[in-house]
């Protein structure tokens, strides 16, 4: 196999973005071989635009013998269904985020992945390719600065218009998307948070549903986290702030690390607080520190980087950016936040999956789909990724 | 009355700081006339150092006929007792923060203030004199940017050493101080928060007690706030971060205002989000905005500014920086945070004062005073105010 024959399942905004990367030659090991979409009009448009075989169902595409691998870019509820089907047919999978809507569903998918070790299963966590977060993770995980003490992420630069929410009947509904900012925009940061800091053991979240838009799901979240060692975190996200903020600060025993405005800063302490207090006798004693901008390798290939790493892994030559089975972690965080907000209390992780599923179903049952025709902004892979980067 | 004869009750670190301002001629309308302290050694030192009449009790100082006004700078539990006594004797009062330990106590003090309208009663909220916060308040309160949507204050630059906590038997004990960072360091920001944004209606706080120090009270707080219009807030403070952060961000309908690194930034939107959504049809539509550093008058006189404004008010010529009766607001916020953390649930404001008093008493009853001699860092008004400024 010199190049991998790629199928795209779901040719909406993200599907088009991926097709665009291939058309522009950014993924030399991947060849666009087929497309599936259940919308006949959309499919006809895709056939004319991309000139590849087009199928009205994912199953037909998978059974066509035309593809070695597929990108799944359909609405969230169907992520796991198609991923499982593809893996069981021996087709490599790249899954758009989130991994699914509830962890009970994603656990089944991960079990399928375990049964299909020959399939290369990746998650589209493109923000893991950002040099700032890669470097930050390395600094945190290396242990050179000791343990985590505090993490604070103000990630409110996910502004979305009402027109955005009105562009699909499934958008921002419990039945169509299974949530709001935590399911559609913030999955990137929820994944990075656990990727860098590890999983919390407790979550307490406050949510506002339709605070800034005419939607039934949350567009404003303030969450508190507790980690196994007692360290705490605060995670605030929203799609309602016209000019939001993306500022991540991590306090460790021997350093404060901050990612803000496209830079990573380190304030490094001469010793730990505990070591300092063991020798210091001055009441207003201050520890020595240095402040520096941390150099990174500067690479930030985003989606293209995830796709190319996946292709190399399929060809047996490299590592995935994010294995598909890791998608459950950020989703677990989201589910825990929802459950906490629904019940009005702190919840422990791992989340009670059956309870969350039951609570979600109540909201799905009362969910109102909008009577709206789908609108696609992205016909040629020109989705604006501006706000997805730091 | 050309100058005001001032008594200082409690000649500890803050009492000395105030005496130092007078000695350096920074408060021309105030003359140091007497000092009271119950510690005989400290009093002997004060007598020699300042050369004014010294009394072993606040009552003696108040009854001496030597003072027109007094600064109360004793441990927190005694704030209200001495303030009430002074007011009832017709002596003007400047009270160090916090106004008291629990609002039930402070309410009695405010009632006394109402009964003594001739007395000028001020609170030492020196951070209200900071040009950045004054300007910020003016912008928020003017209404020109619409309503509050979100406030986020990461105020973790209150680092304190174990030596600091060991410098007085009353420090960081439930019985001696009635709390930790919320009672001693963060009262400034709790006051500014309500002064700028108004009072929340709900509070939910998570606290860590003795997380970073060998103390029984909290040195780490993460609090969530809800305001009457539904706006939310997050307030995080700690004395354990070697290099903390002081970053205040306020989202309004038509602007984001940020105070950080000694500057006030405004990002001003062309219209409100609601107005934009009424006309925008682009899915990824973006509103126009401008970003500018907001000019201020540059003045930041801190404690001296509060003292001089109080002196002018006593002389009938000006306004207080903070009226004494306003001290209850920030304290109410602190009490609500404690009650929420104690009970493990969200609490509504105004806080249930009797319930909070009862919960506090449980902790006071179990409190352990440290067996330690007091240590004073500040003999000449040279307290380091570095970390109290933005």
């Amino acid at each position: 196999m010199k190049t991998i024959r790629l199928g795209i399942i779901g040719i909406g905004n993200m599907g088009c973005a991926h097709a665009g990367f291939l058309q522009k030659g950014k993924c030399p090991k991947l060849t666009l071989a087929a497309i599936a979409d259940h919308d006949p009009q959309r499919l006809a448009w895709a056939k004319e635009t991309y000139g590849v075989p087009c199928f009205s169902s994912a199953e037909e595409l998978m059974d066509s013998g035309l593809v070695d691998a597929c990108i799944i870019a359909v609405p969230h509820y169907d992520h796991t269904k198609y991923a499982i089907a593809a893996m069981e047919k021996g087709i490599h999978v790249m899954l758009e985020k989130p991994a699914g809507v509830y962890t009970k569903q994603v656990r089944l998918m991960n079990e399928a992945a375990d049964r299909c070790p020959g399939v290369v299963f990746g998650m589209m966590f493109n923000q893991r390719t950002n040099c700032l977060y890669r470097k930050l993770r390395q600094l945190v995980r290396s242990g050179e600065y000791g343990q985590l003490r505090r993490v604070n992420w103000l990630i409110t630069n996910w502004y979305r218009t009402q027109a955005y929410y009105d562009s699909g009947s499934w958008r921002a509904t419990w039945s169509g998307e299974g949530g709001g900012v935590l399911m559609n925009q913030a999955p990137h940061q929820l994944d990075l948070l656990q990727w860098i800091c590890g999983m919390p053991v407790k979550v307490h979240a406050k949510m506002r549903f339709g605070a800034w838009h005419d939607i039934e799901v949350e567009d404003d979240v303030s969450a508190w986290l507790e980690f196994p060692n007692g360290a705490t975190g605060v995670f605030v996200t929203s799609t309602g702030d016209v000019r939001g903020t993306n500022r991540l600060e991590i306090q460790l025993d021997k350093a404060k690390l901050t990612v803000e405005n496209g830079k990573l800063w380190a304030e490094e302490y001469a010793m730990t607080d505990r070591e300092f207090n063991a020798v210091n006798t001055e009441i207003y004693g201050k520890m020595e520190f240095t402040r520096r901008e941390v150099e990174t390798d500067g690479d930030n290939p985003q989606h293209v980087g995830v796709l190319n790493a996946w292709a190399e892994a399929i060809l047996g030559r490299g590592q995935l950016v994010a294995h598909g089975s890791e998608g459950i972690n950020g989703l677990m965080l989201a589910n825990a936040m929802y459950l906490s907000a629904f019940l009005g209390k702190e919840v422990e992780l791992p989340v009670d999956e059956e309870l969350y599923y039951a609570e979600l179903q109540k909201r799905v049952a009362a969910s109102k789909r909008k009577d709206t025709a789908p609108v696609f902004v992205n016909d040629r892979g020109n989705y604006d990724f501006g706000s997805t980067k730091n």
Side-chain angles (χ1 to χ4, degrees), chain A:
Chain A
M1 180 160 53
K2 279 192 177 164
T3 68
I4 300 151
R5 299 171 305 158
L6 180 73
I8 294 179
I9 299 172
I11 193 74
N13 292 331
M14 285 314 302
C16 280
H18 296 306
F21 300 139
L22 269 65
Q23 283 193 310
K24 288 175 192 152
K26 294 186 175 178
C27 303
K29 299 297 176 193
L30 296 168
T31 304
L32 185 59
I35 287 170
D37 202 293
H38 60 60
D39 179 326
Q41 265 193 295
R42 190 69 182 163
L43 202 59
W45 171 86
K47 195 170 179 60
E48 188 177 343
T49 303
Y50 300 106
V52 295
C54 287
F55 300 94
S56 61
S57 75
E59 290 76 9
E60 288 174 89
L61 179 144
M62 293 180 198
D63 291 335
S64 68
L66 296 176
V67 304
D68 309 306
C70 68
I71 294 175
I72 297 171
V74 298
H76 312 156
Y77 274 105
D78 291 335
H79 280 188
T80 54
K81 178 175 74 177
Y82 292 140
I84 292 170
M87 289 191 280
E88 289 183 341
K89 293 174 197 290
I91 297 169
H92 305 291
V93 171
M94 175 53 65
L95 185 58
E96 265 294 341
K97 50 82 200 165
V101 176
Y102 45 94
T103 56
K104 188 181 158 183
Q105 188 185 39
V106 172
R107 200 167 297 283
L108 295 177
M109 178 175 74
N110 286 358
E111 286 167 13
D114 288 342
R115 289 194 305 272
C116 308
V119 163
V120 180
F121 175 31
M123 273 298 303
M124 183 49 75
F125 284 140
N126 47 285
Q127 296 237 16
R128 286 198 191 182
T129 66
N130 186 325
C131 49
L132 296 170
Y133 298 123
R134 281 187 287 112
K135 186 69 185 177
L136 180 63
R137 179 175 192 262
Q138 183 200 315
L139 293 176
V140 172
R141 293 280 174 133
S142 72
E144 64 186 288
Y145 294 130
Q147 285 199 43
L148 179 70
R149 290 164 71 104
R150 179 194 318 290
V151 52
N152 191 290
W153 205 339
L154 183 58
I155 169 66
T156 50
N157 68 343
W158 283 120
Y159 182 67
R160 289 293 180 266
T161 61
Q162 186 64 42
Y164 167 85
Y165 286 117
D166 293 344
S167 70
S169 63
W170 57 284
R171 282 200 189 277
T173 61
W174 291 113
S175 58
E177 262 198 295
V181 62
L182 291 183
M183 293 307 294
N184 197 308
Q185 288 78 31
H188 290 297
Q189 285 79 29
L190 292 175
D191 174 62
L192 290 176
L193 184 70
Q194 68 83 26
W195 189 57
I196 295 166
C197 298
M199 285 292 280
V201 289
K202 290 182 190 168
V203 167
H204 200 141
K206 306 281 185 175
M207 290 188 189
R208 300 184 66 187
F209 303 97
W212 313 118
H213 306 90
D214 181 18
I215 56 174
E216 64 188 27
V217 295
E218 88 288 357
D219 53 6
D220 205 292
V221 178
S222 307
W224 170 90
L225 315 166
E226 185 179 309
F227 292 84
N229 71 344
T232 60
V234 166
F235 184 89
V236 175
T237 192
S238 172
T239 57
D241 290 12
V242 173
R243 288 292 298 168
T245 296
N246 183 358
R247 184 182 186 281
L248 170 59
E249 176 183 308
I250 296 179
Q251 274 282 354
L252 301 162
D253 285 331
K254 290 182 70 174
K256 177 170 93 172
L257 306 173
T258 311
V259 174
E260 189 177 17
N261 300 323
K263 291 187 176 177
L264 169 57
W265 294 94
E267 291 176 66
E268 296 164 310
Y269 314 148
M271 60 190 88
T272 70
D273 177 43
R274 185 176 295 269
E275 289 163 346
F276 180 66
N277 277 321
V279 296
N280 170 65
T281 55
E282 285 182 43
I283 292 181
Y284 290 100
K286 293 210 161 102
M287 205 190 301
E288 280 178 47
F289 73 97
T290 56
R291 183 168 191 269
R292 67 181 174 104
E293 188 186 339
V294 179
E295 264 192 72
T296 70
D297 61 25
D299 290 339
N300 188 8
Q302 292 286 325
H303 301 75
V304 169
V306 176
L307 291 175
N308 287 337
W310 176 54
E312 291 297 325
I314 291 170
L315 297 170
R317 295 195 291 243
Q319 297 292 314
L320 287 167
V321 169
H323 192 276
S325 63
E326 294 174 35
I328 200 168
N329 295 336
L331 183 68
M332 174 81 75
L333 274 175
N335 283 188
M337 289 178 188
Y338 284 121
L339 190 59
S340 171
F342 292 165
L343 303 180
K345 65 177 192 181
E346 186 177 297
V347 302
E348 293 191 3
L349 273 70
V351 75
D352 182 335
E353 295 186 351
E354 295 297 336
L355 180 59
Y356 179 63
Y357 180 75
E359 286 291 325
L360 177 62
Q361 293 318 304
K362 288 184 199 170
R363 278 135 193 110
V364 169
S367 178
K368 288 189 181 135
R369 287 291 186 104
K370 290 165 284 187
D371 181 20
T372 179
V375 180
F376 297 93
V377 279
N378 190 341
D379 289 349
R380 294 281 183 174
N382 58 352
Y383 173 79
D384 171 15
F385 293 111
S387 68
T388 72
K389 292 179 190 170
N390 180 267

